[in-house]
Structure formats: C-alpha cells, structure tokens
Amino acid sequence: MMAVGRSGGTVLLLCFSFFALVTAESPYRFFDWNVTYGDIYPLGVRQQGILINGQFPGPDIHSVTNDNLIINVHNSLDEPFLISWNGVQNRRNSYVDGMYGTTCPIPPRTNYTYILQVKDQIGSFYYFPSLAFHKAAGGFGGIRILSRPRIPVPFADPAGDYTVLIGDWYKSNHTDLKARLDRGRKLPSPDGILINGRSTGATLNVEQGKTYRLRISNVGLQNSLNFRIQNHRMKLVEVEGTHTMQTMFSSLDVHVGQSYSVLITADQSPRDYYVVASSRFTDKIITTTGILRYSGSSTSASGPIPGGPTIQIDWSLNQARAIRTNLTASGPRPNPQGSYHYGLIPLIRTIVFGSSAGQINGKQRYGINSVSFVPADTPLKLADFFKISGVYKINSISDKPTGGGLYLDTSVLQVDYRTFIEIVFENKEDIVQSYHLNGYSFWVVGMDGGQWNTGSRNGYNLRDAVSRSTVQVYPKSWTAIYIALDNVGMWNLRSEFWARQYLGQQLYLRVFTTSTSLRDEYPIPKNSRLCGRAKGRHTRPL
C-alpha cells in the first residue's frame, strides 16, 4: 500500500523528528510492507519463498528525484531480516543502508521504518534482502526514480514502463543453500532462470506502433545473463541512473547486480514474440522465455528461440565499452551530465582490489586482498557513532593485493572525504565477477585483459565513461573506476556473486571526515534499532 502526501500521523511525526533533515519541499511517499514466508513454484516445485505483501517478486517502488520514502517493514518471518537498496545512495545517511555493517536487523514479529531520500538521483534500481541467504528466496523488487517534471529527459515519454527482473534460481530452499555454504561447501550451478518470478509465461503487453521502456535488473545469485526479444531491437537509454548514448542492441549482457533501461518499439506484426534470458559464460547454457504480446494477438510465439552469445568474452567486453554517457542530457538536475569533467581531476589515491579464494579451517571461503570478511558483533556504523572500541580495526585490509594466504577479519578500509580516487579490480580467476559499491556511483574508465599497470591508464575513457554502481570484471582481466568521495559513511563494497559475498568477498569503505556538520553527514536516525554492543544506548540525549 502506498500513498503520497504531506501528512500521515505517526510515521510523519517520526519523519519530522529526524531533525527535519529531509527537505520539507519534497513529497513523502509511504509504503507499508509485511514480509512473510509463502509457497512459491517458480521452477515447478514447491519452495519456501519470501513475499512482500503477498507478492513474489515484491512491489515496485515508484518515486521522483528528491522524494522522501517512508517504508514501514513488518518482519513476520521467524528470523531477523533487513532490506538494502541497490543503487540508492542514501546520501549522508549510511545508517539506513540496510546492510549488517550499518543497520541492525529487524527482529522477528517487529517492524522498522526506513526513512530514505532519493536525493539527486534518477534511474532504475532494485531492493533486496541482505541478511543470511534470503536473496535466494525472493524479497526483491524494482525501484524507479523518475526525473522531476521540469527536468528534460532525452527521449519521449514511453507508452508504458515495465520492470523486468531477471535472475538465476535454485529449486532448493534458501535455508538448504545457506546450510551448504555454512558447512564450507560450494553451491552447484543454478537450476533455472526467472523473468519476473516465473520460469515461463512472464508477459509484457504492448500495442503496435508504440514505444515502451523496460527496466531490466539482474537480481540473481551468480550468473551473467543475456537478454533479448525476438525480432525486436533495444535502444539503451539509461544505466543505473545515467542517461546513455542511445545505442541499439539486438541483445544485452546484464551482469549480476546490474540494471539497464531500454526502449523497444512494437513495430512488428501483431502476434506474440519470445522474450529470452540465457546464462553467459557457463558450461551448460540455461535459457528461459517470456512473451511480448501485442494487443489483439491471436498467434502464439513460434519459430526458433532467438539465439544469443554464450561464452564469448570479447563480444561482452566490446559491448561494455560501447556503453557511454550522454554528455548533453540532463541528469537529476538540469545541468548536462557532461558538465562534471571527471577526467581532469587529479587522483589522490589508487586502490587495487584482487579477489581471493581458498579454504580456511577446511571450509570454502572467499575474500578481497587475502581478507575474508566476517561480520562483527555490532554494526560498524553504530560502533563509530557510539565510539565503541574493539568492534573493528581501521585499515584492517591492505589497499593492494598482498599475495598472502586467505585469513578472516572484519575488513574496513578508510578513505578520505572529498578526495578523488581510482579503484582497480583485478580478477585472476576464470569466472566473470561483478562488484557493487553502496552509497556511490562511479565512472568505469577502463577494462581489459591481463595485468593492470600504470600504463593501462593510457587507454582510459576520460571523456564519456558511464557512471554506475555495479561493474563486471572479466576472467583474467581488470576493471578500473574513478570515484569522487562525496558521501560520508560506512559503505559496503561486495561481490554480487552471492555465495562469494556470503563467504567473505566484501569489505566496508569508511569515508571519513572530522567534520560534524549536518552538511556532511546526518546524525543517527532517532528510530534506529540498536543491537550488539550498542544495545541499551540512546540515539538522542535523555
């Protein structure tokens, strides 16, 4: 249930008690979500799914730049629960980021109200459950942030706007998958692929001659997917909040955790056409289909399912390099996206992250720069706020690969607020990896095979690189990004290969300033749950 307005009883009072830190001029949108278990049959067998208001996938969040989102989450599960917001930057407010390093879990049979503002953002994103292995059971849904009415958008309003959630899926319950990981074993390959929660029959309805926007997100657990529509080409227009050059593609690689917006025009004869998602870079190619249905269609989809790329790395790399920012389009503000000349800003620091895999105490683990992340007993952001010592150590992970053996620690790397840095992701393994950074978008300035070195910068795109929050790293390759560290907080950087994330391939960037100004960071929300060593403390003076 959702309503829009400027009043709303208890929840609105709660919002105003948050020191009026969200702008009073921006609308409030209210959501009330009940999170439950429920039987689902996405691959034809009964599974225990996680539903939101009885829905799998969960309901979309529709919003406009700068809206305040008041999301009351009732946890009706029998275990703690958290939701995080993939791509939503939660500016100056990592307390509500919904990862265990920043936010206390919602205990069973209780509720928590997230107070978010989609400040200075547009685009296509999604939310997901971040604890345990809940993501393998559902609990995810789309997020769309529309431009404000007076901000020009570089394409005409589409006749319709669809969320398309694709992802690989297991027949096993999430509890069984988690138990397998806890025993130190790897997961088998996924059993299938879903489009909007269905392995067959997901339908997009169109009318001949009209143009539609599809917001495609890979909400799966590990596999890159290729997305395509029979006899239709797709015009790419937006990637995770950035308007792009409007390039036409017959199919699109969507790596795990990524989101894209495309326009399709219903310019074929009125019948049904296949919508296809298939796995990439896997020994066995898994394929699923949905339907693009023209109004008045009486003819089922027929003919061979349109083929796509399978294991070709160069095809995907070349497509990734072709995705560029539309420099003349407005972003969330009226000034052109190209007015920020990221390529002219001197770098203050270079950080290199390399993935690690191995066994610790006879169990499979993963890490970054030889550190396999283990959660602390208290959210790291709360330990910072309450100055609780011993929860974690600053710079407990090196900013370069060490070449040493894998070990356990709560890895936190400190970086300085208002600096401009380079991060290089190195992948010496034989799989495609995907990394996400909460709280930020970054410029993907380069990617290539082999070993990165300073000479690799000669090939960087310093003019119109796409800005996004999730990026792929190809096998035996590297990817380089530039980041303007303009968002104070504790931010999760993780593998989107969900088993690897769960088994330690993540860390936290502590974007730090000595300033205590509200211009730089909000205080802890008054309604924050306190857990671990922060339990019993107070968010405000008594």
Side-chain angles (χ1 to χ4, degrees), residues 103-406:
T103 313
C104 286
I106 307 169
R109 295 172 295 282
T110 62
N111 73 300
Y112 176 69
T113 301
Y114 289 89
I115 303 171
L116 316 175
Q117 187 182 26
V118 288
K119 178 68 174 172
D120 290 339
Q121 284 195 264
I122 58 168
S124 310
F125 310 99
Y126 67 91
Y127 61 86
F128 67 95
S130 61
L131 285 186
F133 215 61
H134 290 157
K135 192 181 179 188
F140 45 72
I143 300 174
R144 63 182 67 174
I145 308 173
L146 302 179
S147 297
R148 288 174 290 172
R150 295 184 180 180
I151 305 297
V153 174
F155 49 88
D157 286 343
D161 194 332
Y162 288 108
T163 294
V164 182
L165 303 179
I166 59 177
D168 49 19
W169 196 258
Y170 289 90
K171 291 180 179 178
S172 300
N173 281 338
H174 73 284
T175 50
D176 298 328
L177 298 173
K178 177 180 178 296
R180 183 182 177 114
L181 294 172
D182 290 340
R183 291 195 298 270
R185 299 173 60 193
K186 296 181 181 180
L187 294 184
S189 297
D191 298 303
I193 295 172
L194 306 184
I195 301 175
N196 285 346
R198 304 182 65 173
S199 58
T200 59
T203 301
L204 305 174
N205 294 306
V206 297
E207 294 184 24
Q208 190 177 34
K210 294 185 177 180
T211 297
Y212 297 81
R213 183 174 185 171
L214 309 184
R215 299 172 186 265
I216 308 161
S217 294
N218 185 339
V219 298
L221 300 174
Q222 68 182 64
N223 283 330
S224 301
L225 301 178
N226 183 266
F227 182 85
R228 52 201 183 272
I229 301 175
Q230 184 182 28
N231 293 358
H232 291 74
R233 288 170 61 80
M234 299 176 288
K235 181 187 289 185
L236 182 67
V237 294
E238 178 254 328
V239 173
E240 296 165 18
T242 298
H243 288 130
T244 62
M245 296 298 291
Q246 296 183 9
T247 307
M248 301 296 294
F249 294 107
S250 57
S251 72
L252 186 64
D253 274 358
V254 187
H255 303 279
V256 64
Q258 293 184 338
S259 298
Y260 291 87
S261 275
V262 300
L263 298 179
I264 62 162
T265 298
D267 55 4
Q268 301 296 306
S269 59
R271 62 180 184 86
D272 292 358
Y273 296 87
Y274 290 118
V275 175
V276 186
S278 60
S279 62
R280 291 283 269 124
F281 321 115
T282 54
D283 293 333
K284 177 185 176 183
I285 304 302
I286 309 171
T287 301
T288 195
T289 60
I291 297 296
L292 182 75
R293 176 161 293 153
Y294 277 61
S295 176
S297 169
S298 58
T299 306
S300 298
S302 61
I305 294 172
T310 54
I311 61 172
Q312 302 89 340
I313 295 291
D314 286 348
W315 188 97
S316 188
L317 176 60
N318 289 334
Q319 184 178 78
R321 288 172 171 166
I323 298 172
R324 297 177 293 129
T325 295
N326 183 339
L327 297 179
T328 61
S330 298
R333 297 185 180 187
N335 50 301
Q337 293 179 140
S339 61
Y340 190 98
H341 300 290
Y342 69 91
L344 301 178
I345 303 172
L347 294 171
I348 299 300
R349 183 178 183 183
T350 295
I351 297 169
V352 181
F353 288 134
S355 61
S356 310
Q359 294 215 338
I360 299 177
N361 300 323
K363 294 185 175 184
Q364 181 66 46
R365 296 289 301 187
Y366 300 94
I368 297 174
N369 289 0
S370 299
V371 184
S372 184
F373 183 88
V374 288
D377 60 7
T378 304
L380 310 178
K381 188 59 186 171
L382 296 188
D384 262 6
F385 179 79
F386 291 112
K387 297 179 171 56
I388 304 171
S389 62
V391 173
Y392 73 92
K393 294 177 293 184
I394 295 173
N395 296 328
S396 50
I397 181 172
S398 170
D399 66 359
K400 302 286 189 298
T402 65
L406 199 60

Side-chain angles (χ1 to χ4, degrees), residues 456-478:
S456 303
R457 294 180 182 137
N458 294 330
Y460 281 5
N461 178 355
L462 298 183
R463 182 175 183 271
D464 59 359
V466 71
S467 179
R468 63 186 314 165
S469 57
T470 308
V471 69
Q472 71 273 25
V473 192
Y474 293 102
K476 309 293 186 182
S477 300
W478 56 267

